[in-house]
């Protein structure tokens, strides 16, 4: 198993897919931070407010006289930076009027809250890790590398066990890349946090996020091994690992829960349910909730239980469904 892992790591490191996806992730985080920095500038907010005022002026001038439009505007359209004088006329907002608004928009509740909204809640991390797993694992069948391996029972166990370990390492790598690039990019953009987080809570949250990404990566690996198709693996990575599929499935289960009450609790036991519990950040872990929330169990414990169950299911299905298949 160790020799297979060394071989795969060598191929992965000397290949293009890992580094291309790494660069793309770093660029995405930098782009997101740059866009936030730009749209929260006081000048940008003042320009947007002025544009909205001009739009209202154009619409109202076609319906009512100018004097009445000014009077109605003073009553119905007031917001940040819009001041109405005693005579009913508005003063054009300037950048100085939006200093407080800009500072407020550049604050997040916590660092893990930023990570949650940046690459956890939307499934960005899970999709990326699953895509690389689909591409790399399917290559063994396309290049016939797998035919050079021993076809004994022990050989199969070593092969699939090593691949599951490799998928976990891939998920860990992308998590580190996303977390470091996100923190650095948003720090350069002037982002601040309302609350400081303990190192222990941050590491625990990161561990759970890594486990959640590993669940999706293992599920993708299982699809590749059963179908031996790159297209099937990529499709599963995009559809299942994305937040869209989890949201649709949870909505369907909630709908049937109106008829069968026990079905209503199933979304919390899905990997997407654990991901939703992690998205708000590390502060959420100590709050009762999740799959075991009915017993007052904290979210962190519920997430651990759900993820370990799904990891065990993926591993069991791998060795059960693939043990009789020819490599």
């Amino acid at each position: 198993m160790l020799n297979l892992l060394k071989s795969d790591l060598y191929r992965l490191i000397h290949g293009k897919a890992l580094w291309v996806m790494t660069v793309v992730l770093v660029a995405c985080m930098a782009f997101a931070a740059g866009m936030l920095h730009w749209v929260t500038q006081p000048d940008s907010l003042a320009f947007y407010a002025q544009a909205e005022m001009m739009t209202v002026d154009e619409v109202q001038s076609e319906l009512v006289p100018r004097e009445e439009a000014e009077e109605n505007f003073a009553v119905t359209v007031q917001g940040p930076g819009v001041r109405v004088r005693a005579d009913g006329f508005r003063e054009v907002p300037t950048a100085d009027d939006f200093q407080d608004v800009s500072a407020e928009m550049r604050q997040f509740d916590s660092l893990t809250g930023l990570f949650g909204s940046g690459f956890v809640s939307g499934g960005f991390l899970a999709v990326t890790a699953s895509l690389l797993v689909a591409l790399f694992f399917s290559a063994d069948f396309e290049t016939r590398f797998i035919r050079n391996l021993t076809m004994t029972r022990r050989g199969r166990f070593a092969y699939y066990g090593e691949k599951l370990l490799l998928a976990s390492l891939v998920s860990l790598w992308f998590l580190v890349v996303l977390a470091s690039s996100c923190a650095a990019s948003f720090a350069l953009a002037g982002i601040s946090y309302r609350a400081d987080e303990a190192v222990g809570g941050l590491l625990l949250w990161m561990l759970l996020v890594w486990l959640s990404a590993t669940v999706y990566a293992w599920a993708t690996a299982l699809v590749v091994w059963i179908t031996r198709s790159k297209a099937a693996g990529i499709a599963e990575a995009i559809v299942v690992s994305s937040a869209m599929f989890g949201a649709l499935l949870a909505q369907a289960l909630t709908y049937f829960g109106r008829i069968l009450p026990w079905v209503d609790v199933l979304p919390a036991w899905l990997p997407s349910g654990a991901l939703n519990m992690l998205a708000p950040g590390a502060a959420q872990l100590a709050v009762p909730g999740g799959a075991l929330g009915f017993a007052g169990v904290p979210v962190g414990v519920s997430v651990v239980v759900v993820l370990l169950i799904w990891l065990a299911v993926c591993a069991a299905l791998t060795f059960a469904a693939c043990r009789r298949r020819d490599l």
Side-chain angles (χ1 to χ4, degrees):
M1 181 182 294
L2 184 58
N3 290 334
L4 285 174
L5 181 60
K6 290 180 180 179
S7 174
D8 279 343
L9 288 176
Y10 181 86
R11 291 193 297 149
L12 193 61
I13 293 174
H14 288 80
K16 296 180 180 179
L18 177 66
W19 303 113
V20 169
M21 297 179 74
T22 298
V23 171
V24 169
L25 294 183
V26 174
C28 288
M29 291 297 101
F31 177 76
M35 287 298 297
L36 181 63
H37 175 76
W38 177 67
V39 300
T40 56
Q41 288 289 332
D43 293 337
S44 299
L45 295 174
F47 175 80
Y48 175 76
Q50 293 176 24
E52 287 295 311
M53 292 167 63
M54 292 174 60
T55 302
V56 172
D57 285 342
E58 293 171 359
V59 173
Q60 291 185 340
S61 63
E62 298 179 1
L63 302 178
V64 296
R66 177 69 181 183
E67 294 78 7
E68 185 177 348
E70 292 288 351
E71 181 179 358
N72 292 338
F73 184 90
V75 176
T76 59
V77 188
Q78 296 187 32
V82 179
R83 297 189 297 269
V84 181
R85 301 189 313 220
D87 58 5
F89 287 89
R90 291 163 292 117
E91 294 182 0
V92 177
T94 63
D96 294 336
D97 299 321
F98 290 93
Q99 291 291 343
D100 294 338
V101 178
S102 176
E104 179 67 20
M105 293 178 67
R106 293 190 184 196
Q107 278 193 329
F108 282 83
D109 291 335
S110 62
L111 179 61
T112 54
L114 171 63
F115 291 164
S117 61
F119 56 82
V120 174
S121 61
F124 193 32
L125 170 62
V127 170
T128 305
S130 299
L131 276 176
L132 184 60
V133 166
L135 294 173
F136 191 76
F137 287 13
S138 62
D140 284 357
F141 298 101
E142 295 178 346
T143 61
R144 299 185 182 275
F145 169 79
I146 201 169
R147 291 184 177 273
N148 298 324
L149 303 178
T150 305
M151 296 185 182
T152 62
R153 179 178 180 182
R154 182 178 179 182
R156 290 187 179 90
F157 181 84
Y159 175 80
Y160 292 120
E162 179 270 331
K163 291 297 184 183
L164 293 179
L165 178 58
L166 180 64
S168 303
L169 294 178
V170 168
S171 300
L172 179 61
W173 168 255
F174 284 136
L175 173 60
V176 172
V177 169
L178 283 170
S180 57
S181 60
C182 181
S185 299
F186 281 85
L188 293 175
I191 298 300
S192 60
Y193 308 101
R194 299 183 182 91
D196 296 328
E197 293 180 309
V199 176
L202 173 62
L203 293 178
L204 175 60
W205 185 85
M206 295 280 284
L207 173 62
L208 297 180
V209 171
W210 171 55
L211 291 178
S212 67
T214 301
V215 169
Y216 287 105
W218 284 15
T220 301
L222 180 61
V223 171
V224 171
W225 291 327
I226 292 177
T227 63
R228 300 188 178 185
S229 169
K230 178 191 294 186
I234 293 175
E236 191 277 343
I238 295 175
V239 175
V240 176
S241 299
S242 66
M244 177 184 65
F245 178 81
L248 291 176
L249 182 58
Q251 184 64 32
L253 292 174
T254 302
Y255 175 78
F256 286 108
R258 300 175 182 176
I259 305 173
L260 301 173
W262 62 271
V263 177
D264 197 35
V265 303
L266 292 182
W269 291 93
L270 298 174
S272 58
L275 211 60
N276 292 334
M277 293 293 100
L278 292 172
Q284 183 73 12
L285 299 180
V287 179
L292 302 175
F294 62 90
V297 177
V299 166
V301 177
S302 296
V303 170
V304 170
V305 172
V306 171
L307 293 179
L308 289 181
I309 289 175
W310 280 100
L311 287 173
V313 168
C314 290
L317 289 176
T318 295
F319 293 112
C322 303
R323 64 179 180 178
R324 296 183 179 278
R325 300 209 65 177
D326 293 334
L327 293 177

